[in-house]
Amino acid sequence: MPARLSVDTVTVRAPAKVNLHLAVGPRRPDGYHDLTTVFHAIGLYDEVTLTRADALTVTVDGASGVPTDSTNLAARAVLALAKRTGHDPTVAVHLAKGIPVAGGCAGGSADAAAALVGCDHLWGTDLSREQLLEVAATLGSDVPFCLVGGTALGTGRGEQLTSVLGQGTFSWVLALSDGGLSTPTVYAELDRQREQGPVTVATDAGEVLAALRAGDAVLLGRALANDLQAPALALKPELQSVLDAGEALGALGGIVSGSGPTIAFLARDADHASSLAAALSARGVCRSVRVATGPTPGARVVKAA
Ligand code: C5P
């Protein structure tokens, strides 16, 4: 057998996600909530480069407010995989951020998934896909999905995944906000609203799954549902004007992405997404807009040397 070529540096690309359906159950004794969610990976990426080094370090490009200490989710992923496999966690982690920070698009989870894939490649661990997914689940509820990508049904706290049959590609416009929202704060606001009285709840994911099977963007636009939208709007009321603008400009549907504050609008096709993005931008209702298609694969090595 030829000797394994030693790799010193590896770059992994990991996608953002939107939740096409997010139904949140009651708060569990462990503080989490049981979910029924449909994750959808979109072509907005973070690139994570891992290089063998003398110490574990984190540097960041393209965003502010990302921690560079051991609380960084990519650093935690390196440490978790090192512990699981007996390797030395001495790598320089560089994050090139394309996913909005604290935006409800799983940017931190994407970095963690990328770090797992990258270290797995760098160290040549013999972990199976299932074992890597187990480590991913210890890091955060969205991290397993960021490894897998595509479109998947998530249950449990979001970490138990089943792939979803679908066809076609969907075109999205993401409206980015000034400032982020903290995920625990949005869940706590949902709990508070529920204590005060009945609130609208996302029912089952059937309509979204049918729209995906049919590859029908119009049906999908109508079926989008997110229980975290009301609490996100309560915490950031200005998001309503973004949703209203997208609807007025002809989006097939619009939804707060995960715990927000990014808003995802579904367009008919790529041309419609470009014109919708330009029109939204001209309205000046959001910080910036991005266009992306989904589904797209999960964290993948794009360069190794
Ligand atoms: O799993 P992760 O660390 O990403 O979750 C961040 C926070 O979001 C949790 O501490 C919890 O407050 C909330 N959460 C939840 N139920 C879930 C997922 C997340 O309450 N299923």
Side-chain angles (χ1 to χ4, degrees):
M1 254 192 1
R4 190 190 163 83
L5 289 176
S6 165
V7 173
D8 289 322
T9 181
V10 58
T11 300
V12 182
R13 204 166 75 153
K17 62 85 185 158
V18 294
N19 300 78
L20 307 178
H21 178 93
L22 179 49
V24 182
R27 190 172 181 276
R28 311 190 311 202
D30 67 359
Y32 284 92
H33 297 71
D34 275 322
L35 306 180
T36 303
T37 188
V38 179
F39 290 112
H40 182 67
I42 57 168
L44 198 66
Y45 300 99
D46 280 0
E47 276 200 357
V48 179
T49 299
L50 300 126
T51 307
R52 291 184 199 279
D54 296 331
L56 174 58
T57 57
V58 179
T59 51
V60 184
D61 248 356
S64 54
V66 178
T68 54
D69 60 14
S70 59
T71 64
N72 182 285
L73 211 47
R76 285 179 44 208
V78 172
L79 289 166
L81 193 66
K83 190 164 175 218
R84 177 76 172 70
T85 60
H87 284 83
D88 207 348
T90 48
V91 287
V93 181
H94 182 71
L95 310 175
K97 299 288 299 176
I99 305 175
V101 175
C105 297
S109 303
D111 297 345
L116 289 180
V117 169
C119 287
D120 182 50
H121 193 86
L122 211 53
W123 299 335
T125 82
D126 285 323
L127 291 192
S128 66
R129 190 79 177 153
E130 283 64 35
Q131 288 170 322
L132 215 51
L133 283 167
E134 271 169 32
V135 180
T138 66
L139 296 162
S141 308
D142 294 341
V143 181
F145 175 72
C146 293
L147 271 184
V148 170
T151 305
L153 186 68
T155 53
R157 56 186 174 87
E159 86 287 14
Q160 293 164 29
L161 300 172
T162 317
S163 62
V164 162
L165 283 180
Q167 54 178 323
T169 297
F170 297 96
S171 296
W172 297 91
V173 177
L174 285 309
L176 276 49
S177 275
D178 275 325
L181 273 174
S182 135
T183 302
T185 306
V186 177
Y187 274 100
E189 174 62 16
L190 177 68
D191 294 338
R192 197 193 62 78
Q193 289 182 353
R194 285 177 169 174
E195 274 162 22
Q196 304 227 310
V199 291
T200 335
V201 287
T203 50
D204 68 68
E207 280 182 39
V208 162
L209 297 176
L212 289 166
R213 270 196 305 275
D216 188 324
V218 173
L219 281 184
L220 184 60
R222 282 195 213 123
L224 299 171
N226 180 3
D227 281 346
L228 295 180
Q229 179 154 313
L233 285 172
L235 293 165
K236 247 186 184 302
E238 65 272 26
L239 293 178
Q240 189 61 55
S241 59
V242 186
L243 282 164
D244 293 344
E247 192 187 336
L249 292 167
L252 299 179
I255 199 167
V256 167
S257 176
S259 56
T262 304
I263 292 182
F265 292 108
L266 183 58
R268 282 192 303 276
D269 52 31
D271 284 347
H272 183 214
S274 301
S275 59
L276 182 59
L280 260 177
S281 194
R283 289 254 177 138
V285 287
C286 53
R287 174 165 63 86
S288 59
V289 293
R290 302 275 186 279
V291 170
T293 58
T296 186
R300 293 282 180 284
V301 172
V302 290
K303 215 178 337 167

